[in-house]
Amino acid sequence: MVTIADVARHAGVSSSTVSYALSGKRAISQETRHRVERSVTELGYHPNAGARALAAGRSHIIALVVPLRADVYVPIMMEIAISVTMAARQHGYDVLLLTNDEGPDGVRRVAASGLADGVILMDVELDDQRIPALRAQGTQAALIGLPDDPRGLSCVDHDFATAGALCADHLADLGHREIAFIGYACGVYHRHAGYAERTLVGFRECARERGLRFLHRPCEGTYESTAGTLARIFADRPETTGFVVQNEGAIGPLLNLLRTSGRTVPEDASVVALCPAQLAEQHAPRLTAVTGPTRELGTVAVDQVMARITAAARGAEPDDELVLLTPVLAARESTGPAPRQG
């Protein structure tokens, strides 16, 4: 492994000069700095992370707490995690991945150990118990999600309430009056996951304003659970012609079940999904879907936590920031005018 002494010998300077050139703590000539930089590049030298952290008072690491649950849609979570990692590298930071199964204890451990300069939380619940731990430790944090009380934190999320309203508006504009909302599994609502709760609130408020009759049915997302959910919907509301689906696992089974029940999409039943565009395009018919910029969630969260880290290093009070990304509804082949009754 290349050491700072190797760089010094290669550049023909002292080890302390190499240190000053890399840290910028003392003024050195431009020629000497360039010589050191060339030697660093040619030898492939990387400063020791521990020594750099001690010298700078920072670890140059951001902890990202990712969800480890059976009910999360892994491709979206991975896309966010990748965008966080790429954005962090632009700031010269590495990312430490943690799982949310440790809960508040994991947050306290990372904060108390000094392993990370800041924390980004994913899968935020409305009354998330990790947030008091962050506040108590004085940890600089950004949340990908919106809790009920975001004071002292920076948050970025999709505007899920607007997303839910877009679904209701679209079906109402097409003349549908009996709507079923097929959501995530019951456990997601029991733990008050913000993305699920806020979507449902937005949908309900808009549906009431538009005079729609609607019901909400949680679903595990398997073929069997989707079949049972659909059967109960038609038993309770046989005139249902519009479906909103916020459950990636249930989309394919729902389309198949509607087809086998003799209902053609969109002539007999319209389906709107809350899902990534690439998933909407994979189904037949192609799904009308409400989507948001997933990668931007990670990028904004990194910018937020870096701004808080920088402000704290200056002794300033970090600004709280709430960013809601605007969702977009793309109409495709799975929605059409409501069928005439009778």
Side-chain angles (χ1 to χ4, degrees):
M1 185 176 72
V2 179
T3 67
I4 198 169
D6 296 328
V7 174
R9 281 192 295 271
H10 190 273
V13 297
S14 66
S15 295
S16 59
T17 299
V18 174
S19 179
Y20 298 148
L22 297 176
S23 68
K25 287 190 173 182
R26 290 193 185 180
I28 60 174
S29 71
Q30 199 71 6
E31 180 187 350
T32 301
R33 184 182 302 279
H34 287 161
R35 218 162 60 233
V36 170
E37 290 173 351
R38 281 197 300 270
S39 295
V40 166
T41 301
E42 291 176 18
L43 296 177
Y45 172 70
H46 297 283
N48 179 270
R52 183 177 63 175
L54 287 172
R58 295 189 189 181
S59 67
H60 289 271
I61 291 173
I62 296 172
L64 174 64
V65 186
V66 297
L68 186 65
R69 302 181 189 276
D71 55 32
V72 301
Y73 186 58
V74 174
I76 289 180
M77 294 303 163
M78 288 305 300
E79 189 171 355
I80 295 173
I82 290 169
S83 69
V84 166
T85 303
M86 293 175 64
R89 289 305 309 146
Q90 296 296 314
H91 291 275
Y93 267 67
D94 292 311
V95 175
L96 172 66
L97 287 181
L98 304 173
T99 57
N100 62 354
D101 57 331
E102 292 188 79
D105 290 339
V107 171
R108 293 190 193 97
R109 176 174 60 81
V110 172
S113 68
L115 277 172
D117 297 331
V119 175
I120 296 175
L121 294 186
M122 296 174 64
D123 193 32
V124 175
E125 299 170 3
L126 297 183
D127 54 352
D128 204 302
Q129 296 305 301
R130 297 170 297 179
I131 293 174
L134 289 172
R135 291 195 176 110
Q137 296 285 344
T139 305
Q140 302 308 322
L143 276 56
I144 300 178
L146 181 61
D148 275 338
D149 181 10
R151 288 177 300 115
L153 302 165
S154 294
C155 305
V156 59
D157 204 1
H158 294 307
D159 189 345
F160 283 105
T162 295
L166 285 173
C167 297
D169 259 335
H170 180 68
L171 291 173
D173 289 344
L174 291 170
H176 296 274
R177 289 295 174 263
E178 296 277 355
I179 313 297
F181 188 111
I182 299 177
Y184 287 109
C186 290
V188 174
Y189 299 97
H190 288 160
R191 62 183 175 84
H192 302 295
Y195 57 88
E197 296 263 357
R198 295 185 189 282
T199 304
L200 196 53
V201 167
F203 169 79
R204 281 174 169 163
E205 289 179 355
C206 182
R208 290 190 180 106
E209 290 172 4
R210 298 297 302 267
L212 306 181
R213 271 170 46 94
F214 62 90
L215 47 75
H216 168 236
R217 292 291 180 267
C219 180
E220 296 292 333
T222 63
Y223 191 92
E224 292 76 12
S225 63
T226 307
T229 299
L230 185 62
R232 288 189 293 275
I233 288 171
F234 283 130
D236 295 337
R237 300 279 177 84
E239 302 303 316
T240 298
T241 60
F243 292 87
V244 176
V245 189
Q246 190 182 27
N247 185 326
E248 292 83 0
I251 294 171
L254 175 64
L255 293 174
N256 288 333
L257 288 160
L258 288 171
R259 191 178 302 116
T260 56
S261 70
R263 293 174 175 86
T264 303
V265 177
E267 288 80 1
D268 302 315
S270 287
V271 178
V272 182
L274 294 112
C275 70
Q278 59 267 33
L279 181 59
E281 293 279 358
Q282 290 172 7
H283 288 282
R286 296 183 310 132
L287 288 167
T288 292
V290 176
T291 61
T294 302
R295 291 183 183 178
E296 194 172 337
L297 290 172
T299 303
V300 172
V302 170
D303 289 343
Q304 287 179 331
V305 78
M306 288 306 307
R308 299 185 71 88
I309 291 169
T310 302
R314 296 197 312 263
E317 188 68 26
D319 293 329
D320 299 349
E321 185 182 27
L322 170 59
V323 176
L324 290 179
L325 305 180
T326 304
V328 176
L329 185 143
R332 297 186 180 88
E333 299 160 1
S334 67
T335 54
R340 292 182 180 181
Q341 299 298 327

